[in-house]
Amino acid sequence: MASAKDIASAAALLRAGRLVAFPTETVYGLGADASSAPAVARLYAVKGRPAEHPVIVHFASASLAFHWARSVPEAARRLAERFWPGPLTLILERGEKAKDFVTGGQDSVGLRVPSHPVARQLLQAFGGAVAAPSANRFGRVSPTNAQHVRDDLGGDVDLVLEGGESEVGIESTILDLTSGDPVLLRPGKISAAQLEAEAKIKVGTKKPGSAPRHSGGLERHYAPRTPARLVETFRLDQEIARLGDKVAVLAFSRPDERVDFWLRMPREPHAYAQRLYGALRELDSTGSELILVEAPPAEPDWAAVVDRLRRACGG
Ligand code: TXA
Ligand code: MG
């Protein structure tokens, strides 16, 4: 775990316009001073991310976060009260502090107050706003430990803060509150039903093909290098029989002796999410031609995991 000294160095680096990777409860983030155009430009260059994609801005508290919004709807206050610090990002109309270089030129800004103790200490020590996408190269699987970050970004990041394995394992739930109708832009550990119950709102889902600037909305995102395919349980056996030792398998069931690389996943969605990206990285490194993924049950509890699996499988 990062020491007090590491946190102080990280905050100093951020102030100097440098890049710091840090743990959050969802995935590791690659942080830059969100008020500095050159720092954010460097962040985009290292990520390999198109400049018109907005980035989430991280804060130590809800009151600091809301300074970046032009107005804060009642629903946002309720949700912040209940779920921050935690794995929820709110999209609000941007205030003056949110410049084009963090919003991708949009009139909205993504705000998040993470709960991981190292993230909180860093944000408190820095005091300002930290722009942070997941600390992987654009389009690849998000990192859930410090080693994943070093594997992906190597010397391009000035410091990686150590914070163990990310507890949630998949990116934050994103809720767009910029119009009268709240829209779930990305499912996550906090479900649409929880948001609805807490804020007394009705949450819609985005229409396929809409919100083109939401990079998590690109079909092939969060993807391993090896092609991956979702397979219903009843077809798994026949696919293995057909493809044999060329495949690696991510499944609920026990390993099959015909397959060399098999990872068995938990039957509970939160535990599955926590393991997911590490498992994809592991299977990606086996040199297999294809990753077969046993499809989880079609139930609301699995929505966030299924969303990430679909993207990993190319939409
Ligand atoms: O869990 C997370 O949210 C992680 C950790 C590091 O906090 N961050 C993360 O950031 O996933 P990133 O940049 O990889 O994904 C953020 C998503 C992107 O799809 C981005 O386009 C979208 O949020 N986003 C950010 N600001 C937005 C805005 N103003 N309107 C719509 N989408 C926005
Ligand atoms: Mg990402």
Side-chain angles (χ1 to χ4, degrees):
M1 207 59 78
S3 67
K5 202 167 146 237
D6 298 331
I7 304 274
S9 323
L13 284 168
L14 288 176
R15 271 181 222 111
R18 312 279 288 275
L19 304 183
V20 173
F22 62 98
T24 85
E25 69 279 17
T26 57
V27 300
Y28 276 62
L30 180 62
D33 179 352
S35 301
S36 161
V40 175
R42 182 150 178 247
L43 174 67
Y44 276 59
V46 165
K47 274 276 303 183
R49 182 180 215 175
E52 70 277 12
H53 285 176
V55 69
I56 295 176
V57 190
H58 298 65
F59 301 86
S61 70
S63 61
L64 288 173
F66 288 154
H67 271 121
W68 280 54
R70 184 157 64 236
S71 61
V72 182
E74 179 57 24
R77 290 194 194 282
R78 281 178 189 258
L79 293 172
E81 177 80 21
R82 169 68 178 81
F83 295 113
W84 279 353
L88 174 67
T89 296
L90 297 176
I91 310 292
L92 300 182
E93 291 184 344
R94 69 164 162 178
E96 275 166 20
K97 290 176 190 292
K99 307 292 188 208
D100 281 346
F101 57 81
V102 286
T103 69
Q106 302 194 67
D107 205 27
S108 60
V109 61
L111 306 172
R112 168 155 141 73
V113 178
S115 63
H116 192 292
V118 173
R120 289 183 61 69
Q121 287 164 44
L122 174 65
L123 290 163
Q124 274 155 13
F126 177 64
V130 174
S134 48
N136 53 289
R137 305 268 182 215
F138 184 65
R140 306 249 67 104
V141 177
S142 295
T144 53
N145 62 40
Q147 189 56 47
H148 292 163
V149 178
R150 288 189 288 264
D151 290 346
D152 271 12
L153 301 179
D156 285 344
V157 51
D158 297 303
L159 179 68
V160 182
L161 287 176
E162 184 63 58
E165 295 288 329
S166 291
E167 203 180 302
V168 176
I170 55 172
E171 302 81 354
S172 59
T173 304
I174 303 182
L175 183 69
D176 184 349
L177 290 172
T178 56
S179 77
D181 304 312
V183 179
L184 190 73
L185 294 183
R186 182 171 71 187
K189 181 177 186 196
I190 298 174
S191 68
Q194 282 178 286
L195 298 173
E196 291 186 331
E198 199 60 41
K200 311 219 174 359
I201 51 174
K202 181 88 193 87
V203 173
T205 44
K206 76 179 150 60
K207 295 181 211 81
S210 67
R213 282 183 163 184
H214 167 241
S215 69
L218 293 177
E219 290 219 323
R220 196 166 161 75
H221 201 65
Y222 314 115
R225 285 178 172 78
T226 313
R229 198 192 313 147
L230 270 168
V231 191
E232 295 298 334
T233 304
F234 74 95
R235 300 196 62 147
L236 193 58
D237 187 67
Q238 105 195 37
E239 286 300 292
I240 290 168
R242 197 164 68 84
L243 299 159
D245 58 6
K246 297 189 190 69
V247 298
V249 176
L250 194 66
F252 296 105
S253 43
R254 237 177 256 119
D256 182 307
E257 59 187 19
R258 292 167 293 176
V259 175
D260 292 336
F261 305 105
W262 185 294
L263 289 181
R264 196 174 179 190
M265 297 296 280
R267 288 188 183 272
E268 192 283 314
H270 298 312
Y272 190 111
Q274 193 193 4
R275 288 216 51 205
L276 175 59
Y277 288 150
L280 287 175
R281 279 173 187 263
E282 211 175 313
L283 294 182
D284 207 8
S285 69
T286 59
S288 304
E289 284 177 22
L290 181 70
I291 299 172
L292 285 181
V293 181
E294 182 178 0
E299 288 162 15
D301 283 358
W302 286 91
V305 163
V306 168
D307 171 78
R308 302 315 190 277
L309 287 176
R310 286 219 179 99
R311 293 171 199 279
C313 295

